[in-house]
Amino acid sequence: MSQPITARPAGFFRDVGSVAIRALQQLPRDLEFVLPALAVPTFFLVVNIGALQDVAGFTELEIDYKAFQLPVAIIFAVTGISRASALVLDIQDGYFDRLLLTPVSRRALLLGLMVSDFVLVLLLSIPVTILGFAIGVRFPTGVLGVVVFLLMGASWGVAFTGFPYAIALRTGNPSAVNASFILFFPFAFMTTTFLPLESMTGWLAEVARYNPVTYLLAGLRSLFVGWQFGELAKGMIAIIGLGIVSQTLAFSALKSRIDGR
Amino acid sequence: MIRAESLTRRFGDNLAVDSIDLSVERGEIYGFLGPNGAGKSTVVRMLCTLLAPTSGSASVADLDVSDHPGEVRLAIGVALQEASLDPKMTGREIITTQGRLFGLRSTEISKRIDELAPLIDMNAIDHLVGTYSGGMRRRLDLAASLVHNPSVLFLDEPTTGLDPPGRLRVWEEVRRLNRELGMTVFLTTQYLEEADTLAHRVGVIDHGRIVVEGSPAELKRSVGDDVVVVKVAGDSDRVAEVLAAVPGVDRIERYEHEVRAVTKDGGRALSPVAVALDRAGCVVDELALRTPTLDDVFLHVTGSHLEGGDT
């Protein structure tokens, strides 16, 4: 006689995997979410290069302006992309309660979503990078440089997701999550999006010095010059620093939502 | 199997659950009956570890819900009041995700899907839940709650919104789970018939307190035998006076435009009641004989009808 099938703890990593698989299964059904995330960086890459390439000639750039803009497009592709809106819908539909009624690790509920976010932003970065190749951008750092370029971009994307998740968990409100997109603007525009730091002046240059995106962009752009480990390390520190802040907010919001019941 | 002692929950100044004591034995179907807002769902959410009690204690499957929430979750299955399903997942994905989170292997999940087939619309299992009818969603929700063979099943108003055939299917499944697997079932409902038909014991909750508890038969016996109900548009005092004088009528109860003659044998009392009312010239809108229902129990202990009571 066979043993009856009964529940047992799945284990932390399987929990993370289960949550991530579910989130990834939903992606093809959420094209209205995925397609704009691809269209925005493509648009900015084309427009920025078209509009500013000649103006940028007056600055002292180490690299071609197309290569200068490709990391910007990657930042646009990966920043603020998360399943936070889906999480809010789960909260509203009661599916989040269904998950809480299982023995799943509570941290896995967020980490699983972030794993799927990592996969998504990586997938979004690939066509943008291919577009970069199509317009003539080349990596002197080779295939490994491309891999590092994509991984750094995706890591930044995941580090940033803590903000929308924190808002989703604190408010349970889809409008608030959508509004969290405005966080993207100071990070993405008060930095070296259009010009190198040396060419910026006044308060904007000062703000850019404290913006982690400045160092992330510098790290990504360094891959078009050669292996500059100092620049890469500063970029990684920027990612880790932002990640610590945003993920602390997200996980404390998760704890608050669960414990505050 | 389920115990609660002085279980209390406040939301700000609102005392949602007021120091209730509960004891549900292994293999029992316990019906928790009460109107909307009585505190049924709050009790369920505390017993299921979704909500922390403000004070008091509770255990499920012999495990304290506050001290061992993870172990409690392994032992219970829960179908909440609203079918908590993601409309952008298919039925199979819902069950599979649920199974994985309960530690089941792929082969075990496939086997459980086959076993749960009577509940699930297998033709639609690979369709998105958003395309399901309310009844299909309810049954899928129940199936997802059962994927790991829990020893205790919590059903929070499981048939609300279902059509009669859908309701019967759920009832039959609950009975089967209890009969064949010995599953303990804690069922909240506002449907009297549901509690009467399914539950071995019923607790009536009102304003956060359990006001009466017992088997449906015991509870119904406790409020008298049969009731002759007279609905009047005019002078209910006169009707009450006439009914009180009819032989065999034990007592009179009055609720707005309704006068009730409580008697041990309604069949024998009905004709004399009709004759007496006619002779007294009372204008009657409706005259009916009713055997006691759980609504009578509810009316007796709370002074009001159960909202949403169906029969």
Side-chain angles (χ1 to χ4, degrees):
Chain A
M1 192 173 159
S2 63
Q3 288 286 316
I5 296 168
T6 52
R8 50 195 172 266
F12 179 73
F13 292 106
R14 191 158 190 248
D15 282 347
V16 171
S18 299
V19 175
I21 288 168
R22 181 208 159 214
L24 289 169
Q25 280 171 335
Q26 287 179 315
L27 285 180
R29 296 162 194 161
D30 271 342
L31 288 179
E32 70 275 16
F33 159 73
V34 176
L35 292 179
L38 192 57
V40 168
T42 305
F43 175 83
F44 273 95
L45 180 63
V46 172
V47 169
N48 285 355
I49 291 171
L52 299 168
Q53 191 168 21
D54 293 341
V55 178
F58 296 104
T59 66
E60 291 182 9
L61 286 178
E62 265 188 291
I63 55 175
D64 174 74
Y65 195 68
K66 290 171 186 168
F68 187 82
Q69 278 298 323
L70 185 57
V72 174
I74 292 294
I75 299 300
F76 280 33
V78 302
T79 308
I81 301 299
S82 75
R83 301 301 293 162
S85 299
L87 177 60
V88 168
L89 291 178
D90 280 351
I91 291 168
Q92 291 187 332
D93 291 342
Y95 192 76
F96 191 70
D97 279 346
R98 171 166 283 295
L99 294 174
L100 292 179
L101 287 165
T102 71
V104 66
S105 154
R106 275 37 190 157
R107 281 175 300 150
L109 291 174
L110 259 187
L111 280 174
L113 293 178
M114 288 173 187
V115 168
S116 80
D117 292 337
F118 185 81
V119 174
L120 174 60
V121 293
L122 203 55
L123 291 175
L124 289 171
S125 301
I126 289 170
V128 176
T129 307
I130 290 172
L131 180 61
F133 274 109
I135 61 175
V137 177
R138 294 292 179 266
F139 284 80
T141 45
V143 175
L144 189 58
V146 177
V147 172
V148 171
F149 183 79
L150 292 172
L151 290 179
M152 276 184 77
S155 301
W156 169 262
V158 172
F160 196 88
T161 57
F163 295 120
Y165 282 128
I167 291 168
L169 289 162
R170 291 274 178 203
T171 66
N173 181 334
S175 302
V177 173
N178 291 339
S180 74
F181 187 69
I182 58 173
L183 280 172
F184 165 82
F185 289 102
F187 280 104
F189 289 101
M190 292 182 169
T191 184
T192 56
T193 303
F194 305 111
L195 295 168
L197 193 56
E198 303 75 44
S199 305
M200 296 172 74
T201 56
W203 65 270
L204 192 57
E206 199 58 29
V207 171
R209 275 193 190 88
Y210 293 99
N211 186 345
V213 175
T214 301
Y215 303 96
L216 174 66
L217 286 174
L220 292 172
R221 286 165 179 156
S222 74
L223 293 165
F224 300 114
V225 179
W227 289 107
Q228 299 181 344
F229 294 107
E231 294 296 331
L232 290 176
K234 284 185 204 166
M236 286 309 299
I237 290 168
I239 293 169
I240 292 166
L242 181 100
I244 288 170
V245 173
S246 81
Q247 302 303 334
T248 302
L249 291 173
F251 281 91
S252 70
L254 176 68
K255 189 171 185 325
S256 170
R257 175 159 284 275
I258 294 169
D259 294 349
R261 286 159 175 267
Chain B
M1 201 62 165
I2 303 172
R3 298 270 182 280
E5 285 180 16
S6 305
L7 193 65
T8 302
R9 175 68 199 203
R10 282 184 178 279
F11 295 102
D13 293 335
N14 177 30
L15 184 59
V17 175
D18 185 5
S19 192
I20 69 162
D21 295 322
L22 266 177
S23 177
V24 180
E25 299 306 318
R26 190 180 300 274
E28 191 174 21
I29 301 179
Y30 186 88
F32 211 34
L33 183 66
N36 285 332
K40 304 186 297 290
S41 295
T42 305
V43 171
V44 167
R45 292 174 83 84
M46 285 193 283
L47 294 175
C48 295
T49 76
L50 272 183
L51 198 62
T54 306
S55 63
S57 63
S59 65
V60 175
D62 303 324
L63 295 159
D64 188 282
V65 295
S66 299
D67 296 340
H68 304 283
E71 289 94 325
V72 169
R73 289 175 200 129
L74 284 169
I76 63 173
V78 187
L80 292 174
Q81 195 168 350
E82 298 292 329
S84 40
L85 303 169
D86 178 353
K88 287 192 173 176
M89 293 170 79
T90 67
R92 190 183 301 279
E93 286 167 357
I94 294 259
I95 303 239
T96 302
T97 302
Q98 189 80 359
R100 287 176 59 87
L101 294 174
F102 276 103
L104 272 53
R105 289 184 285 271
S106 299
T107 50
E108 292 176 319
I109 294 169
S110 299
K111 189 174 173 211
R112 286 299 291 149
I113 288 174
D114 291 341
E115 289 170 354
L116 291 165
L119 267 181
I120 309 166
D121 289 85
M122 292 303 280
N123 291 334
I125 193 168
D126 291 312
H127 298 173
L128 294 181
V129 170
T131 65
Y132 283 24
S133 68
M136 289 162 74
R137 288 170 62 96
R138 273 281 180 196
R139 290 194 301 278
L140 177 66
D141 193 37
L142 179 56
S145 311
L146 294 169
V147 71
H148 57 295
N149 274 323
S151 55
V152 183
L153 179 62
F154 288 92
L155 300 172
D156 194 4
E157 304 202 7
T159 60
T160 299
L162 289 192
D163 56 11
R167 194 180 293 183
L168 288 175
R169 268 173 89 174
V170 170
W171 288 1
E172 187 45 49
E173 184 60 18
V174 171
R175 280 201 201 94
R176 189 191 70 76
L177 292 166
N178 176 255
R179 188 178 59 239
E180 295 180 9
L181 305 176
M183 198 176 281
T184 306
V185 180
F186 189 98
L187 167 91
T188 80
T189 184
Q190 53 179 314
Y191 294 130
L192 302 158
E193 187 189 358
E194 189 159 276
D196 203 355
T197 308
L198 283 179
H200 300 137
R201 271 195 315 135
V202 171
V204 176
I205 183 170
D206 190 40
H207 295 103
R209 296 187 70 89
I210 294 182
V211 287
V212 69
E213 195 177 40
S215 73
E218 282 170 358
L219 293 178
K220 286 186 282 188
R221 268 200 305 275
S222 73
V223 292
D225 297 316
D226 295 346
V227 180
V228 177
V229 181
V230 182
K231 286 192 177 171
V232 287
D235 184 4
S236 62
D237 292 343
R238 176 69 182 137
V239 170
E241 197 179 299
V242 169
L243 291 183
V246 173
V249 171
D250 297 330
R251 68 173 190 278
I252 300 297
E253 293 176 351
R254 297 174 60 174
Y255 308 99
E256 297 179 356
H257 297 295
E258 200 172 284
V259 182
R260 296 177 168 200
V262 180
T263 172
K264 288 189 172 55
D265 192 339
R268 279 180 191 274
L270 189 60
S271 180
V273 162
V275 170
L277 289 170
D278 188 48
R279 280 186 183 155
C282 297
V283 180
V284 171
D285 281 350
E286 194 178 316
L287 180 65
L289 170 63
R290 282 181 49 200
T291 54
T293 66
L294 288 177
D295 193 33
D296 297 310
V297 175
F298 193 82
L299 189 60
H300 184 69
V301 294
T302 68
S304 60
H305 284 288
L306 179 59
E307 276 177 55
D310 50 352
T311 56

